[in-house]
Amino acid sequence: MDLPISQTMQQARGAMSAFLDFFEHTPWAERIGDPAICDFVAGNPQEMPIPAFVEAIRAAAVPQDPMWFAYAQAQPSALSAVAQSLRARTGIPYGTEHMTVTTGSFGGLAVLFATLADPGDEIAYLSPPWFFYAGMIAAAGATPVRIPLSPPRFDLDVDAVAAAITPRTRAIIVNTPNNPSGRIYTPDELQRLAAVLAEASGRNGRPVFLIADESYNRIVFDGRTFTSPATAYRDTFVVYTYGKTLLTPGERIGYVGVHPEMENATTMREALFGAQVVLGYKFPNRILQHAIGDLEALSIDIDHLQHKRDRMVEGLREIGLELESPEGTFYLLPKAPTADSRAFVDLLAARDVFVLPGSTVELPGYFRISLTATDDMIERSLPGFAAAFKEATA
Ligand code: PMP
């Protein structure tokens, strides 16, 4: 395609070509919202939002002073709510001076990439990844470096990380709980990772930062606890979005926490504020900032999500599909019975069951299912999965 756009943005588009290819050439796009389909493609809500979420937004929309909707960058009450939350979750003494509020994890990541990396700098990510990392890194003018992990569990392979680090490595993104693998990295894995990053920082003469994408850190199953990478490594930025826990991804609010022990931590946070302004006033809308204290306390029903996970894992295994049971997030990542999952994805689509092909997450032999589908869709889909599996393996 010969668009008169910047080289940088052409590279960003190239880095997410598998994603664009699926979304530009899929019958799913025309069927979204059709009650006849079973829609497992995206982590989008398919049921009405939490009533308390709606109440919080409604209350926050009523102005209490003339400045209620003024330019405010990150407002003090929002910073104090997120600092308190991150402190309680990690035991690390985050203060308001270490926090900023962002337009979700998308916004936090974009601001960090632009703040940390120069052209030629590398930002590494674990693969299979969230589909926008490589494109967003390229959009910041940096070079995405893929670190492949091994099936079936996609554990955090610290040796692979060590092998991928170069003198140009500026940061590594660690997404835990992981979209799409569902893995929660263990304290031991994180400690070993921290040792590798500290050693590489010394060798490089500048920090290799850890960007902890914790978008799903409150969506964990079976009574597991989540350990933040920030507890293992001081040169960590924690990135969070409320869009997953509340299942309201169109309402853009989240935060970035700068580790209090990072060198020049508060100046780093000032740098993030500046980047947010010049990148296009990337602060959440005031209504969301006013509401954030209330939003902190809310969550979708995790037990119900776990129940959907169990039903789907059991149903798909009975059919003959291979998959791990995720420890957190709302995704399943089964292996396709065809070498390239796209063929299987098409067989499913012919039966009104829509899933995401693994090519979009650098894993063509797999496909991803989002458990944000309804119970009814899960039940209705299983005969479709069985029939498609039978046809694919005949
Ligand atoms: N990181 C990961 C791993 C995600 O799955 C998502 C959302 N799909 C994001 C970041 C972005 O989150 P948000 O849209 O809430 O900013």
Side-chain angles (χ1 to χ4, degrees):
M1 191 183 353
D2 197 13
L3 282 179
I5 62 174
S6 70
Q7 292 284 330
T8 307
M9 216 39 78
Q10 285 186 33
Q11 267 164 10
R13 285 179 63 81
M16 54 181 190
S17 58
F19 177 88
L20 295 175
D21 183 53
F22 171 70
F23 281 88
E24 281 164 11
H25 306 104
T26 170
W28 171 70
E30 288 134 42
R31 304 286 305 276
I32 300 175
D34 177 344
I37 70 167
C38 302
D39 185 355
F40 300 101
V41 174
N44 244 338
Q46 308 209 40
E47 290 166 290
M48 288 300 276
I50 308 167
F53 174 84
V54 182
E55 276 316 304
I57 298 294
R58 212 194 288 273
V62 180
Q64 293 175 20
D65 60 58
M67 302 287 282
W68 198 251
F69 300 126
Y71 282 122
Q73 300 193 0
Q75 74 187 39
S77 63
L79 293 179
S80 136
V82 295
Q84 191 185 359
S85 170
L86 193 55
R87 229 173 17 243
R89 288 174 173 277
T90 57
I92 298 169
Y94 289 94
T96 51
E97 69 278 22
H98 304 116
M99 307 299 300
T100 184
V101 281
T102 59
T103 50
S105 291
F106 253 117
L109 291 166
V111 166
L112 284 169
F113 298 160
T115 305
L116 299 177
D118 281 314
D121 278 344
E122 295 168 0
I123 297 181
Y125 63 91
L126 305 169
S127 178
W130 178 49
F131 17 75
F132 294 123
Y133 288 146
M136 290 177 68
I137 294 164
T143 305
V145 173
R146 171 175 183 259
I147 304 178
L149 302 180
S150 303
R153 280 176 52 79
F154 303 105
D155 289 324
L156 178 51
D157 181 347
V158 175
D159 292 336
V161 173
I165 292 177
T166 77
R168 293 313 303 260
T169 307
R170 197 53 174 144
I172 174 168
I173 308 167
V174 175
N175 170 218
T176 177
N178 189 275
N179 169 15
S181 75
R183 283 299 321 279
I184 301 174
Y185 301 133
T186 62
D188 178 58
E189 286 174 313
L190 297 174
Q191 289 297 341
R192 285 187 292 118
L193 174 71
V196 163
L197 298 183
E199 205 263 322
S201 301
R203 203 172 52 234
N204 284 356
R206 63 176 196 172
V208 175
F209 292 106
L210 194 166
I211 298 174
D213 180 345
E214 302 187 5
S215 297
Y216 298 90
N217 69 13
R218 303 183 198 179
I219 306 181
V220 301
F221 302 134
D222 311 311
R224 284 189 174 79
T225 49
F226 166 77
T227 304
S228 170
T231 60
Y233 188 61
R234 67 163 201 176
D235 284 326
T236 296
F237 296 93
V238 169
V239 176
Y240 183 70
T241 173
Y242 289 86
K244 309 298 173 191
T245 312
L246 305 177
L247 202 45
T248 52
E251 293 300 313
R252 315 291 315 152
I253 188 158
Y255 61 75
V256 170
V258 181
H259 198 297
E261 286 164 31
M262 188 184 291
E263 210 165 308
N264 302 316
T266 52
T267 320
M268 278 302 236
R269 197 290 303 267
E270 290 307 318
L272 298 183
F273 270 10
Q276 287 179 275
V277 172
V278 295
L279 289 172
Y281 214 77
K282 268 196 199 299
F283 296 96
N285 285 337
R286 289 300 300 278
I287 292 180
L288 288 160
Q289 294 202 45
H290 289 303
I292 201 166
D294 290 338
L295 302 186
E296 251 300 319
L298 306 178
S299 171
I300 51 168
D301 183 346
I302 305 294
D303 288 341
H304 181 208
L305 196 62
Q306 182 173 317
H307 178 78
K308 289 199 277 187
R309 176 202 66 168
D310 291 343
R311 176 70 188 111
M312 200 65 178
V313 168
E314 176 205 295
L316 294 178
R317 282 183 179 159
E318 267 170 19
I319 287 165
L321 284 157
E322 287 171 40
L323 75 163
E324 296 287 309
S325 183
E327 299 166 343
T329 77
F330 34 62
Y331 304 109
L332 304 183
L333 191 63
K335 198 165 187 297
T338 49
D340 186 327
S341 70
R342 193 64 200 249
F344 188 59
V345 168
D346 290 343
L347 289 177
L348 288 170
R351 292 167 173 90
D352 282 354
V353 176
F354 292 87
V355 301
L356 192 74
S359 54
T360 58
V361 295
E362 303 180 357
L363 209 59
Y366 289 70
F367 62 98
R368 196 192 72 170
I369 286 174
S370 172
L371 294 171
T372 56
T374 63
D375 291 297
D376 176 57
M377 285 180 188
I378 290 174
E379 293 307 326
R380 278 191 292 121
S381 72
L382 289 171
F385 276 108
F389 184 80
K390 204 165 159 203
E391 190 175 335
T393 54

